């Protein structure tokens, strides 16, 4: 751990690189023996990612929040490679997520036998596609891109998530996901909020996010009502799903 950031830890990747991450241990574990991986949005390893992780920990979940841009090599190249993996649906970013899952199961600070995942924007798509590979008990993607065909999600675990209809790019993807999951017979709670845009769960304290992002086609801004409703749905769905044997 780091004195400046007591939550800072590292996850060793298959190539030996030590990827930085934040590790949040709940003061009052909820007894579910389940941990959550929180995947950041396109802005990367941020205070907002930590805020979300902390809220999950306050609800009794051990949480690992990795920096997917932290790979071996130049930072700029790592960002480009992560975004490439995001579009292709495969690549080293998925190995990073698998390393996080294994880290949670192998660490000895908290009893963890089940792993959940929550992701936002870019992280929402990563969470969705990773979940289709198996290994998770429940996944919570928010306003990420959804594959066109349901078969791309064959094998996915139960899903809870949200999209904002005001988002002109991904606003219809939540409804697409709900159709896919119904076709596949997967338990889900996916909601599209008519008065929200992209990033409604995020609340970055930056000039770009606060003043400029709402002018993009994504209509990206924090929407407290949609965010709080989503938190209620996520925590309820996680509880119901993770307490099952």
């Amino acid at each position: 751990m780091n004195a400046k950031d007591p939550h800072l830890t590292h996850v060793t990747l298959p190539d030996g690189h030590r990827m930085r991450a934040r590790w949040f241990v709940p003061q009052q574990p909820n007894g579910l023996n389940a941990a959550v991986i929180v995947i950041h949005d396109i802005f990367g390893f941020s205070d907002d990612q930590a805020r979300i992780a902390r809220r999950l920990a306050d609800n009794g979940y051990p949480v690992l929040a990795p920096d997917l841009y932290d790979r071996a090599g130049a930072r700029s190249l790592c960002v480009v490679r992560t975004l490439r993996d995001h579009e292709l649906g495969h690549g080293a970013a998925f190995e990073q997520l698998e390393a996080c899952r294994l880290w949670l199961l192998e660490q000895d600070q908290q009893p963890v036998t089940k792993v959940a995942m929550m992701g936002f924007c870019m992280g929402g798509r990563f969470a969705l596609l990773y979940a289709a590979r198996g290994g998770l008990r429940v996944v919570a993607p928010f306003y990420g891109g959804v594959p066109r065909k349901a078969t791309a999600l064959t094998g996915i675990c139960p899903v809870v998530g949200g999209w904002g209809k005001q988002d002109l790019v991904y606003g219809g993807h939540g409804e697409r996901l709900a159709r896919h999951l119904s076709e596949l017979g997967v338990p889900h709670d996916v909601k599209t909020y008519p008065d929200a845009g992209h990033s409604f769960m995020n609340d970055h304290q930056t000039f770009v996010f606060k003043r400029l992002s709402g002018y993009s086609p994504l209509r990206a801004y924090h929407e407290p009502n949609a965010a709080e409703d989503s938190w209620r749905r996520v925590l309820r769905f996680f509880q119901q799903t993770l307490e099952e044997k």
Side-chain angles (χ1 to χ4, degrees), residues 61 91 98 101 105 116 128 149 162 188 191 208 213 229 236:
Y61 293 99
E98 176 64 5
R101 188 183 73 86
L105 294 172
L128 196 62
K149 296 183 179 180
H188 63 279
K191 185 172 180 177
V208 171
S213 56
D229 184 67
R236 181 176 63 245

Side-chain angles (χ1 to χ4, degrees), residues 2-180:
N2 186 294
K4 294 183 179 179
D5 185 350
H7 299 286
L8 188 66
T9 188
H10 294 85
V11 175
T12 302
L13 302 179
D15 64 0
H17 180 74
R18 297 176 71 244
M19 173 182 66
R20 67 176 179 166
R22 291 188 177 104
W23 172 230
F24 295 83
V25 175
Q27 291 186 352
Q28 295 183 325
N30 55 26
L32 294 171
N33 290 350
V36 185
I37 298 168
V38 172
I39 313 176
H40 58 72
D41 59 11
I42 200 167
F43 291 109
F45 195 67
S46 66
D47 291 340
D48 191 59
Q49 182 194 21
R51 174 187 66 86
I52 291 166
R54 194 173 295 111
R55 182 154 181 177
L56 287 164
D58 288 344
N59 281 275
Y61 293 99
V63 183
L64 186 66
D67 178 3
L68 292 190
Y69 294 155
D70 185 0
R71 307 189 189 189
R75 179 75 172 180
S76 57
L77 267 180
C78 293
V79 172
V80 170
R81 288 169 180 160
T82 302
L83 295 175
R84 178 200 61 197
D85 296 348
H86 170 267
E87 293 304 310
L88 293 176
H90 60 81
F94 293 90
E95 295 177 6
Q96 290 171 271
L97 294 176
E98 176 64 5
C100 289
R101 188 183 73 86
L102 295 175
W103 188 94
L104 285 170
L105 294 172
E106 293 168 1
Q107 55 76 36
D108 58 8
Q109 295 181 51
Q110 293 284 300
V112 174
T113 58
K114 295 170 280 192
V115 179
M117 187 174 282
M118 192 174 189
F120 304 87
C121 175
M122 175 189 80
R125 178 172 167 84
F126 271 129
L128 196 62
L129 296 178
Y130 178 81
R133 298 179 170 213
L136 298 180
R137 291 292 295 270
V138 61
V139 64
F142 280 85
Y143 33 83
V146 176
R148 292 184 179 275
K149 296 183 179 180
T151 52
L153 300 178
T154 300
I156 197 168
C157 57
V159 179
V160 54
W163 275 255
K165 196 66 174 177
Q166 297 299 312
D167 179 350
L168 301 182
V169 180
Y170 297 107
H173 283 227
E175 293 161 348
R176 176 191 289 177
L177 177 59
R179 290 194 300 270
H180 288 350

Side-chain angles (χ1 to χ4, degrees), residues 190-226:
V190 177
K191 185 172 180 177
T192 297
Y193 294 91
D195 298 323
H198 200 76
S199 297
F200 64 81
M201 288 280 280
N202 298 107
D203 193 15
H204 295 284
Q205 301 300 308
T206 64
F207 175 82
V208 171
F209 186 81
K210 290 287 188 182
R211 299 295 181 87
L212 301 180
S213 56
Y215 293 101
S216 76
L218 294 171
R219 302 291 191 268
Y221 55 89
H222 180 65
E223 210 299 305
N225 292 329

Side-chain angles (χ1 to χ4, degrees), residues 55 160 189 191 193 201 224-238:
R55 182 154 181 177
V160 54
D189 175 2
K191 185 172 180 177
Y193 294 91
M201 288 280 280
N225 292 329
E228 287 306 308
D229 184 67
S230 293
W231 273 113
R232 286 190 291 271
R233 292 190 303 107
V234 166
L235 293 172
R236 181 176 63 245
F237 196 87
F238 273 22

